[in-house]
Structure formats: structure tokens, C-alpha cells
Amino acid sequence: MNKRLYVSDLHLESVDSPQFRGLVWLLESHPEHDLYLLGDIVELWIGDDDDAPLAQALRQVLRARRSPVYLLHGNRDFLYGDKFCSETGATLLADPHRLDDGTLLSHGDGLCTDDTAYQQFRAMVRSPAWQQDILAKSIEERRAFGQALRQQSRQTNANKAANIMDVNATAVADLMQQHEARQLVHGHTHRPGVHADERRYVLGAWERCGWFIEQDGDALALHCFSLAPHCGNETPHPNG
Ligand code: MN
């Protein structure tokens, strides 16, 4: 089995950011790993026809990868489609997705079942009809819509852990049982950690540091590294 690298919640907004440079560093330092992008890689994906610098740079970074790249939708980048996949070589996986060793992958937002308002919103934006409507708009209209959402997101601190509900323990247990999962890897909650009792591994949001989970056989470890300038040293997380 190839070693695996799981990341999520980079919330990339520009190429010229510590987060984007952190991603490049992470991928270059783990060239052989199968890469699993578990959602919210960018702050907003407005469609596969996006030709903005960030979208182009992301395509380029993934296309340059020689080992396999897998992709799950997040709640901010749920519009990746066939075009993005064929241009990057990435394979889009359904959420949740069970790997053959019993590792279950999810972005994690679907497990936050206590947040009923969010679940209604999620059902709407994931519906094919709503997505068709959005994608039928011009790229300029979608960009303007995206800018407005980003503005709103900044004002409400929508990416802060305090404003995102945690996963529901019963929803986690049910999902894992349903898929006969050995372990669950997810992001979204911005509450990185290893919950050994549940065999649940949670990725963190890339704010002051970048987070990733490395799987080598049966061993999974959560790591973080500083995103501060001139500091590319990997520091294992205490929970790792
Ligand atoms: Mn999310």
C-alpha cells in the first residue's frame, strides 16, 4: 500500500499566501504519497471554468503530481466536476468514501447533524438543480457572488471553530458502523485532533499552521507545520 497524505480546510484565497506556499512545500516533500484532498481546499470554487490565478495554480500543482490524487467536495468547494478532474488527473470521490483498508473519508460537514440550519443549506447547495442554476450564470456573476460570500464569511468569522458546530457522536458511530469502518478521517470542524476511542482523526484548518495526516500501513499520525515565513520545519503535533 502506498503511503497516504490527507489534507483539508486550506481555505485558499490566493496564490500569494502562506497557505498556498505551504501546500506546495507539503506536496514537494511527500512526492510519493497518494494524496487525498478532503474538502475546503479553496475558500470558494465557482466552477471548473474559473481561470483566475488561484484556480490555474491549483490545477497546475495537482497536474504536476506523479502519484494519485483523490478529491472530496467540501462545503466551500462543492462544484468541482469532470472538467477539473480531467485537467488535473484527480479522481472525485463521493462523501463518504471507504478505502479498501476500511479507512472512511468524509469532509465532515454532513456529520454536524446538530446544526439543522446548516444541514438544510447543505442539502440545497448539493442538489443538482441548485448547482445547475449556479453554473448557468456567467463566470462574472459567479465571481461577484463569490466575492460577496467571502466578504460575508470574513465578517462573520465563518471559518472559526467557534462558529462551526462539532460532529455529532451518534452520527459518527452510525456512519462508521454502516460502512464497517476501521477509522474515520475528516476535516471541516477546525478542531484538529486524534480521538483514539472513536478511531477518529480530524484535520485542522490552515491558519497559523498547515495540518495533514499521514497514513503508513495501519499507522495514522496527525502533523502540523508552521506557515510563518521562512519556517518550513515540520513539527509533530502533541496528539500525533
Ligand atoms: Mn468545511
Side-chain angles (χ1 to χ4, degrees):
M1 183 185 109
N2 289 344
K3 290 184 189 177
R4 298 172 181 158
L5 197 61
Y6 304 104
V7 294
S8 70
D9 301 285
L10 280 71
H11 293 278
L12 295 172
E13 294 194 62
S14 81
V15 179
D16 186 24
S17 62
Q19 286 77 14
F20 190 82
R21 288 189 287 276
L23 175 65
V24 171
W25 172 80
L26 178 66
L27 298 190
E28 284 177 355
S29 55
H30 298 77
E32 315 263 296
H33 288 56
D34 289 1
L35 175 65
Y36 290 86
L37 303 169
L38 301 187
D40 289 3
I41 301 306
V42 296
E43 178 66 3
L44 197 69
W45 187 256
I46 60 169
D48 292 352
D49 52 350
D50 189 357
D51 58 357
L54 175 62
Q56 293 192 353
L58 181 64
R59 285 189 198 95
Q60 196 178 359
V61 161
L62 298 184
R63 197 168 43 227
R65 193 113 182 120
R66 293 182 181 264
S67 45
V69 178
Y70 302 95
L71 183 69
L72 258 71
H73 285 146
N75 56 302
R76 296 184 167 271
D77 50 3
F78 49 80
L79 289 177
Y80 299 122
D82 294 343
K83 187 171 189 287
F84 182 78
C85 289
S86 69
E87 285 171 351
T88 57
T91 303
L92 188 63
L93 305 176
D95 186 346
H97 179 86
R98 186 191 192 275
L99 296 170
D100 53 12
D101 68 339
T103 304
L104 191 64
L105 309 177
S106 175
H107 177 57
D109 56 323
L111 293 165
C112 302
T113 52
D114 295 330
D115 192 343
T116 49
Y118 173 70
Q119 292 304 326
Q120 279 170 14
F121 172 80
R122 183 178 192 268
M124 178 182 80
V125 302
R126 300 236 175 177
S127 79
W130 189 90
Q131 294 195 355
Q132 264 168 26
D133 275 0
I134 281 288
L135 290 173
K137 294 183 196 300
S138 73
I139 194 159
E140 288 75 21
E141 283 175 295
R142 278 177 279 142
R143 258 187 207 133
F145 175 65
Q147 288 296 343
L149 278 184
R150 271 212 284 271
Q151 194 85 22
Q152 193 189 11
S153 161
R154 268 193 217 108
Q155 276 164 8
T156 58
N157 281 315
N159 285 337
K160 296 289 168 223
N163 292 305
I164 304 171
M165 276 190 207
D166 204 354
V167 294
N168 175 289
T170 309
V172 168
D174 287 351
L175 190 76
M176 290 183 71
Q177 192 176 21
Q178 187 190 333
H179 292 273
E180 296 178 3
R182 240 176 109 106
Q183 56 227 359
L184 172 66
V185 178
H186 73 84
H188 179 69
T189 60
H190 299 199
R191 290 173 174 83
V194 174
H195 302 268
D197 49 336
E198 300 170 280
R199 295 200 62 77
R200 182 165 69 89
Y201 297 80
V202 188
L203 289 155
W206 289 34
E207 289 165 351
R208 304 185 71 158
C209 55
W211 296 90
F212 64 95
I213 288 169
E214 186 182 26
Q215 181 176 5
D216 183 2
D218 289 340
L220 281 87
L222 174 67
H223 299 280
C224 65
F225 61 97
S226 174
L227 291 175
H230 318 299
C231 185
N233 291 334
E234 182 188 326
T235 334
H237 187 260
N239 284 334

